[in-house]
Amino acid sequence: GDSVTQMEGPVTLSEEAFLTINCTYTATGYPSLFWYVQYPGEGLQLLLKATKADDKGSNKGFEATYRKETTSFHLEKGSVQVSDSAVYFCALTKRNTGNQFYFGTGTSLTVIP
Amino acid sequence: ETGVTQSPTHLIKTRGQQVTLRCSSQSGHNTVSWYQQALGQGPQFIFQYYREEENGRGNFPPRFSGLQFPNYSSELNVNALELDDSALYLCASGVSGTSPAYEQYFGPGTRLTVT
């Protein structure tokens, strides 16, 4: 079945460090890919998305490129801030599955000053 | 701000009891999905409602049921609560038919504890 695998956390970085959170997926057909962020005590917020191969999603300095050849959608940011501390979820959906989202297990990021 | 609200924020129930969780979707959204997020895990799809009918279901037993109302509100009902039902329950709304990237907007969740 369809699934998403994320790198295990937690991840701790110093402010201004480079961030990569790995995400790979298994899916038939043509999924859309997403990154969601969850701040403590809150629900999920859409961070960025990509709908087809080679698309690059970007938002708030974060980027991820849809790589069909490697079935990956790695999240990157060039310079993290303390305010980026949160849990990040990679997810996929396909229209023919009733728009069901499949989420990874999440990667906790802590940025220290 | 997504406009999706959930109530209550926290809830404590005893094993065997029944619970109803509520969600108010963003205006104009015609789908609502419910997810269960266990501690330290990603959200797991329970089911989705579209135009007041169930439109897809994950691997959850029938004691998990739902309703969607015309006024953009919805309910998740869980009967015969078990300890493993303790989790954060998330409601998400969206607009079906938006192609190709269907987006869902999540509420803050209801934290259910079963003792």
Side-chain angles (χ1 to χ4, degrees):
Chain A
D2 298 338
S3 66
V4 172
T5 302
Q6 282 182 242
M7 67 181 281
E8 302 248 340
V11 174
T12 302
L13 294 174
S14 297
E15 206 166 20
E16 299 184 1
F18 184 85
L19 169 70
T20 298
I21 300 178
N22 290 338
C23 171
T24 57
Y25 68 90
T26 300
T28 57
Y30 304 95
S32 294
L33 302 174
F34 301 79
W35 277 100
Y36 278 85
V37 59
Q38 187 174 36
Y39 297 100
E42 298 185 13
L44 278 70
Q45 299 177 24
L46 176 65
L47 182 59
L48 53 83
K49 66 185 182 193
T51 61
K52 61 183 186 297
D54 300 325
D55 267 4
K56 177 185 283 188
S58 61
N59 186 28
K60 299 180 181 179
F62 291 90
E63 293 183 341
T65 301
Y66 188 161
R67 302 286 189 199
K68 195 168 179 64
E69 64 274 15
T70 55
T71 63
S72 65
F73 193 55
H74 305 321
L75 182 68
E76 297 181 337
K77 187 175 185 183
S79 177
V80 294
Q81 306 300 313
V82 172
S83 58
D84 294 327
S85 298
V87 181
Y88 293 81
F89 292 93
C90 185
L92 72 82
T93 190
K94 297 187 305 187
R95 287 187 55 77
N96 64 352
T97 60
N99 301 134
Q100 174 181 345
F101 273 60
Y102 297 87
F103 285 88
T105 54
T107 301
S108 175
L109 169 66
T110 300
V111 180
I112 55 178
Chain B
E1 186 174 344
T2 66
V4 181
T5 60
Q6 293 185 242
S7 62
T9 304
H10 296 90
L11 199 54
I12 300 175
K13 289 287 191 177
T14 302
R15 188 172 49 184
Q17 286 187 315
Q18 179 267 343
V19 69
T20 297
L21 309 182
R22 293 180 172 82
C23 171
S24 179
S25 302
Q26 194 161 322
S27 179
H29 286 184
N30 57 15
T31 70
V32 62
S33 301
W34 286 90
Y35 291 81
Q36 181 194 68
Q37 186 179 14
L39 199 60
Q41 300 297 314
Q44 297 292 314
F45 176 73
I46 302 175
F47 45 57
Q48 182 186 79
Y49 277 76
Y50 171 62
R51 292 184 177 175
E52 302 166 41
E53 292 194 1
E54 191 176 292
N55 182 42
R57 189 178 187 92
N59 189 27
F60 281 81
R63 60 189 185 85
F64 286 79
S65 63
L67 288 170
Q68 183 187 24
F69 304 102
N71 64 350
Y72 305 113
S73 66
S74 61
E75 292 180 355
L76 166 66
N77 299 290
V78 186
N79 294 322
L81 284 167
E82 301 177 359
L83 296 179
D84 285 349
D85 295 333
S86 296
L88 180 68
Y89 288 85
L90 297 166
C91 165
S93 70
V95 180
S96 180
T98 52
S99 176
Y102 170 73
E103 293 182 22
Q104 292 190 116
Y105 297 87
F106 285 81
T110 293
R111 173 72 63 187
L112 172 65
T113 302
V114 182
T115 61

